[in-house]
Amino acid sequence: MIELAVNIKSGDLSYPIYINNNNIEELKSEVFRQISGKKYLVVISEKVNRLYGKILGFNSERVFVLKDGEKEKNFKNYRKILERALKMQLTRKDAIIAVGGGVVGDLAGFAASTYMRGIDFIQIPTTLLACVDSSVGGKTGIDTSFGKNLVGSFYQPKVVLINTNFLKTLDERQLKTGLGEVVKYAFIEKSCKCEDFNLTNFLNENFEKIFERDTKTLNELIKICLSLKTSVVEKDEKEGGLRRILNFGHTYGHAVEKITNYKKYTHGEAVVEGMRFAFGLAVKKGLIDKNYQFYAEDVFKKYRFMPIPSFNTDKMIQTMKLDKKASSGSINFVLPVDYSTVDIFHFTEQELAEFCGKAL
Ligand code: GLY
């Protein structure tokens, strides 16, 4: 078993992350150990419930099954979860457990953070994306018709329990959406201020094993990504500065998702397209040379991400302006400035339109 710790200094709080590939029964015992003496509400993805509900063996009266898809991360389901917790008479001493991908974790975490002003929250991520990114760091929230994650909170889980056996039943597209975030970490890793790892080499050397879902390789991959993420989050929990680098590819990526109604592209596909856009912008701005952009394109193709057709420039800019990463009068981008190194840049609407021409 791999154990990592997240130590948020500003909030004087820390929690463990356990990564292993034990059988699911052992995971179940660990969960029950964590919630011993507490009442609990489990929010679980429909697919995960179908495949693992029996083995996990939660009391069905304490389970809220959430349909799969980004569209479910909405006010209606947030309210339903809170009402269910109220009906069950959960108290401040009790817990909400998320079992699923990023949608389940974000939604259940937001409910946990606001129920009675905050109750214990346990993350059991079952997709690669949730394992390498969304289950750690405390971002919770829901989407609105104005944009993604516009309502939410920073609320750290009590523990994150990762079991890579869940990844065996992920479909290829779900695996790839997680790989979109993994590739992101490779392009920002030097800026994460965590010296111990070399994700770029790991991705070059283990490409086949990753796609074969070799559990040992996936455990190591998750450990590297989470070590990078933890290093950033510990220094800047609330995204006042350094944490913004984790949004590499996300300004444009979120707009792609929004413009296509969260249906056409997965989050990872949209983020990779956002990174492509960022590389293009960085070349036009003279921050990097074309060789680095070609190298990045090779990485995207190796990890089977094909380019997404372009969108109307004005529409994209208007959508990016609504993103919560935008600040008064400017749209913020994380751009590459050197190999595996990024920085934050601000553009006015006009500057962005000029940089883009009509070729967004
Ligand atoms: N997924 C980006 C972050 O957690 O900050």
Side-chain angles (χ1 to χ4, degrees):
M1 183 177 66
I2 299 168
E3 183 176 347
L4 303 173
V6 187
N7 297 303
I8 311 272
K9 281 151 204 122
S10 56
D12 196 17
L13 113 122
S14 80
Y15 57 93
I17 304 167
Y18 299 110
I19 308 167
N20 67 49
N21 51 350
N22 294 342
N23 59 38
I24 307 272
E25 267 84 7
E26 283 179 54
L27 170 71
K28 179 173 144 185
S29 314
E30 180 57 28
V31 179
F32 282 108
R33 198 180 69 74
Q34 294 281 345
I35 56 174
S36 126
K38 290 177 190 287
K39 277 195 277 185
Y40 64 87
L41 171 62
V42 177
V43 181
I44 188 168
S45 111
E46 193 174 41
K47 181 180 171 194
V48 176
N49 191 44
R50 197 170 59 243
L51 294 173
Y52 302 97
K54 249 199 191 128
I55 313 176
L56 287 167
F58 294 113
N59 179 335
S60 62
E61 284 174 12
R62 298 183 186 180
V63 173
F64 181 98
V65 180
L66 189 74
K67 281 194 196 139
D68 292 305
E70 184 71 33
K71 279 267 166 208
E72 300 302 318
K73 208 171 97 179
N74 57 33
F75 271 117
K76 207 166 147 199
N77 283 322
Y78 167 64
R79 184 176 161 175
K80 279 189 188 167
I81 293 169
L82 292 180
E83 284 177 350
R84 186 71 181 276
L86 288 164
K87 241 189 207 152
M88 288 169 62
Q89 300 184 334
L90 292 196
T91 69
R92 278 193 166 161
K93 295 206 167 84
D94 297 323
I96 291 184
I97 304 169
V99 188
V103 168
V104 172
D106 287 7
L107 177 64
F110 185 45
S113 78
T114 46
Y115 185 78
M116 307 251 165
R117 300 208 173 93
I119 62 171
D120 280 354
F121 175 47
I122 295 175
Q123 282 270 23
I124 305 179
T126 60
T127 63
L128 183 63
L129 188 138
C131 290
V132 295
D133 193 56
S134 62
S135 64
V136 169
K139 278 192 180 175
T140 79
I142 53 176
D143 301 333
T144 74
S145 57
F146 292 88
K148 214 171 133 98
N149 297 326
L150 290 181
V151 175
S153 63
F154 286 100
Y155 193 69
Q156 302 296 336
K158 189 171 171 254
V159 58
V160 182
L161 302 170
I162 297 174
N163 187 305
T164 36
N165 280 313
F166 286 118
L167 305 183
K168 288 184 188 152
T169 46
L170 270 189
D171 63 42
E172 178 86 4
R173 206 161 172 211
Q174 282 302 317
L175 180 80
K176 261 187 56 196
T177 191
L179 289 174
E181 290 284 355
V182 167
V183 167
K184 173 198 82 177
Y185 279 107
F187 286 117
I188 66 170
E189 71 174 322
K190 286 190 185 150
S191 298
C192 291
K193 302 185 195 308
C194 171
E195 305 299 322
D196 311 343
F197 302 104
N198 190 325
L199 177 59
T200 305
N201 281 355
F202 188 87
L203 290 182
N204 283 333
E205 285 162 12
N206 291 284
F207 162 76
E208 269 126 13
K209 281 190 183 155
I210 290 171
F211 273 102
E212 281 162 16
R213 300 165 202 230
D214 173 66
T215 39
K216 213 168 144 242
T217 309
L218 290 176
N219 281 2
E220 190 59 23
L221 179 69
I222 293 166
K223 180 180 102 180
I224 298 172
C225 292
L226 289 185
S227 300
L228 293 168
K229 176 154 193 180
T230 299
S231 167
V232 171
V233 169
E234 285 182 342
K235 294 174 184 72
D236 176 23
E237 182 196 9
K238 302 256 166 87
E239 206 170 292
L242 180 67
R243 185 165 181 170
R244 289 184 292 169
I245 66 170
L246 300 182
N247 295 325
F248 182 42
H250 283 61
T251 306
Y252 188 87
H254 278 173
V256 169
E257 287 181 279
K258 169 109 185 21
I259 256 174
T260 55
N261 214 12
Y262 303 106
K263 280 190 184 142
K264 195 160 179 184
Y265 301 106
T266 66
H267 179 64
E269 288 163 351
V271 166
V272 169
E273 199 55 27
M275 289 192 274
R276 276 196 177 98
F277 179 78
F279 272 98
L281 214 50
V283 169
K284 283 187 189 163
K285 216 172 148 51
L287 301 172
I288 55 166
D289 63 29
K290 276 214 161 249
N291 288 336
Y292 187 24
Q293 188 184 26
F294 293 145
Y295 165 82
E297 191 52 40
D298 284 348
V299 175
F300 298 143
K301 295 231 167 91
K302 184 168 179 175
Y303 275 85
R304 305 179 187 167
F305 289 100
M306 292 305 137
I308 288 175
S310 55
F311 299 90
N312 174 282
T313 309
D314 294 339
K315 216 170 156 192
M316 280 305 276
I317 292 178
Q318 293 317 312
T319 310
M320 288 191 277
K321 262 173 65 187
L322 277 178
D323 195 273
K324 67 183 172 335
K325 292 179 288 302
S327 46
S328 47
S330 74
I331 303 172
N332 304 331
F333 281 89
V334 182
L335 298 182
V337 292
D338 200 348
Y339 282 82
S340 300
T341 311
V342 289
D343 211 339
I344 320 285
F345 293 85
H346 311 281
F347 292 82
T348 63
E349 206 177 317
Q350 289 76 6
E351 278 169 342
L352 198 54
E354 276 162 32
F355 270 115
C356 299
K358 288 286 157 198
L360 259 178

